[in-house]
Amino acid sequence: MPINIHQEVRELRARGIELGDFRGYVPRELAHDINLAMDAQPGLITVSNAGIPAFLANYLDPEVIRVLVSPMKAVEIIGEAKKGDWTTLTSQFQVVESTGEVSSYGDYSNNGQSSANINWVPRQSYHFQTVTRWGEREMEIAGEAKIDFAQNLNIASALTINKAANKIAFFGVAGLQNYGLLNDPSLPAGITPAATGTGSGTIWSTKDGAAIYGDIQLLYQQVVSQLKGQLERDAKMTLALSPESEVNLTKTNQYNVNVYDQLKKNFPNLRVVSAVEYSAAGTGSTELMQLIVDEIDGQKTAFVGFTEKMRAHPVFVDLSSYKQKKSAGSWGSIIRRPVAIGSMYGI
């Protein structure tokens, strides 16, 4: 039934309801069409988004993963000792040789004499340093990620000092009377392995366990010859070589006995230590192996000498930052008896 619009407007007005500029109703058949709505559809002012800031869904693992560095093995191989302090520039190491001769006895004879010849071997120390710096804002920003930035700098500085000291212990310092375990000029000349591998090769990758053990025997024989009867098979010795060369000690002979087992049986007090420095030995191409007699008559054959292991200097406070110096000093490797060390190149 049609609705009388004017009648309805009058009834509503009588009840106090004013419709304003009322024109009519939308026909029923068109009421579902949104385009005919009397009000404009509202539009978005902001960018359409159904997500959250990405950092709110990010997980921070509290476990610190530190970048690996090669092990520092010089001290493990020959030990270490403090000599002097950070004011010491040079050192003198005594070498005493007993001399003497005998003569036929006679009641009134004064022939024959014994004496001692003393030499002084000089060395120069090398002092080095590193500096850490950190700022207040830098610390605060790192703290937002729960990172102790100053502590990480301290770890880095200690590692830097130790790596430098280890390198000096192996190679010394150019231009100074400061030598390393691998390049001390007093070391006896090195020998080469026997050519018994595939194609008469000398390197261990071409040899079986029997040939590799034969090379170690050859090096032991060289040290025995150098010491003129001072070395026994059960003496404490260190076999130092690269990690790559040490792998070859697991090779077996024709009886399925590996090199390690043979070494333990024939040299009961021998220990094997690997260090990456033996891969290059300063040349970048030659594999080196050393057999070191740890001590003779209670005196160590060699040691890493230092004046200061690590000295932490005062923290310097700037306007909005801090810095600290750390230093150390090294004599390199002090080799007391070079003849107690044998070297083999080209394994």
Side-chain angles (χ1 to χ4, degrees):
M1 179 177 181
I3 299 174
N4 189 330
I5 297 175
H6 296 292
Q7 180 183 348
E8 190 165 323
V9 169
R10 285 195 297 271
E11 290 178 357
L12 291 172
R13 187 178 294 147
R15 291 160 58 184
I17 301 174
E18 288 287 345
L19 296 180
D21 187 17
F22 181 72
R23 306 287 180 87
Y25 297 105
V26 175
R28 292 182 182 276
E29 63 272 16
L30 300 177
H32 68 279
D33 193 346
I34 194 171
N35 291 320
L36 298 177
M38 297 304 160
D39 296 324
Q41 288 299 304
L44 289 176
I45 298 175
T46 59
V47 177
S48 178
N49 178 44
I52 61 172
F55 73 88
L56 293 177
N58 185 47
Y59 172 73
L60 294 178
D61 193 335
E63 184 177 357
V64 177
I65 302 172
R66 300 195 181 276
V67 175
L68 294 175
V69 296
S70 57
M72 295 158 281
K73 295 290 192 74
V75 171
E76 182 179 344
I77 293 172
I78 58 174
E80 64 181 341
K82 177 179 172 63
K83 301 294 180 181
D85 55 40
W86 75 320
T87 66
T88 311
L89 302 179
T90 60
S91 61
Q92 304 286 333
F93 295 93
Q94 299 180 55
V95 178
V96 180
E97 180 181 7
S98 297
T99 64
E101 60 180 6
V102 297
S103 176
S104 299
Y105 177 78
D107 281 344
Y108 303 102
S109 174
N110 293 323
N111 294 331
Q113 66 172 1
S114 296
S115 183
N117 186 56
I118 301 175
N119 282 341
W120 298 90
V121 180
R123 286 293 184 268
Q124 292 175 287
S125 63
Y126 176 71
H127 291 86
F128 48 98
Q129 66 181 46
T130 188
V131 177
T132 53
R133 300 175 178 84
W134 63 98
E136 290 182 0
R137 185 168 180 264
E138 188 176 32
M139 285 279 292
E140 293 288 345
I141 292 175
E144 293 295 329
K146 304 298 187 291
I147 296 174
D148 190 340
F149 192 61
Q151 181 187 22
N152 280 281
L153 292 181
N154 276 328
I155 293 173
S157 63
L159 178 62
T160 301
I161 290 288
N162 288 336
K163 289 292 288 183
N166 184 72
K167 186 173 183 179
I168 294 170
F170 277 112
F171 301 108
V173 180
L176 295 178
Q177 289 177 314
N178 189 309
Y179 308 110
L181 179 60
L182 305 184
N183 65 355
D184 192 302
S186 65
L187 288 172
I191 61 175
T192 57
T196 57
T198 303
S200 296
T202 62
I203 60 175
W204 281 6
S205 61
T206 66
K207 296 182 176 183
D208 63 5
I212 292 171
Y213 179 74
D215 285 339
I216 298 174
Q217 276 186 313
L218 186 63
L219 183 58
Y220 172 72
Q221 183 179 358
Q222 175 67 23
V223 179
V224 169
S225 176
Q226 290 172 182
L227 286 173
K228 307 297 182 185
Q230 288 285 347
L231 179 59
E232 299 291 341
R233 215 169 28 86
D234 59 353
K236 290 184 178 180
M237 295 179 286
T238 299
L239 185 69
L241 69 175
S242 72
E244 291 81 2
S245 296
E246 185 189 13
V247 172
N248 291 288
L249 300 183
T250 61
K251 289 185 176 182
T252 59
N253 59 18
Q254 66 269 34
Y255 305 107
N256 202 31
V257 178
N258 68 28
V259 181
Y260 271 119
D261 291 335
Q262 290 179 288
L263 291 175
K264 289 178 182 178
K265 180 179 180 180
N266 294 296
F267 305 100
N269 291 313
L270 174 74
R271 64 190 182 109
V272 178
V273 181
S274 65
V276 295
E277 286 78 10
Y278 285 91
S279 286
T283 67
S285 60
T286 302
E287 287 281 324
L288 169 65
M289 173 174 63
Q290 284 185 316
L291 181 62
I292 304 168
V293 182
D294 292 350
E295 60 180 44
I296 299 175
D297 290 339
Q299 191 169 56
K300 288 184 65 65
T301 296
F303 62 89
V304 177
F306 64 91
T307 59
E308 293 284 343
K309 192 73 172 176
M310 187 177 75
R311 189 181 188 91
H313 299 265
V315 176
F316 181 81
V317 181
D318 211 333
L319 293 177
S320 59
S321 63
Y322 309 87
K323 57 185 176 182
Q324 185 182 28
K325 178 188 295 186
K326 292 183 177 69
S327 64
S330 174
W331 299 105
S333 290
I334 307 301
I335 301 177
R336 288 169 168 160
R337 292 193 172 103
V339 292
I341 299 176
S343 303
M344 178 176 283
Y345 291 91
I347 61 174

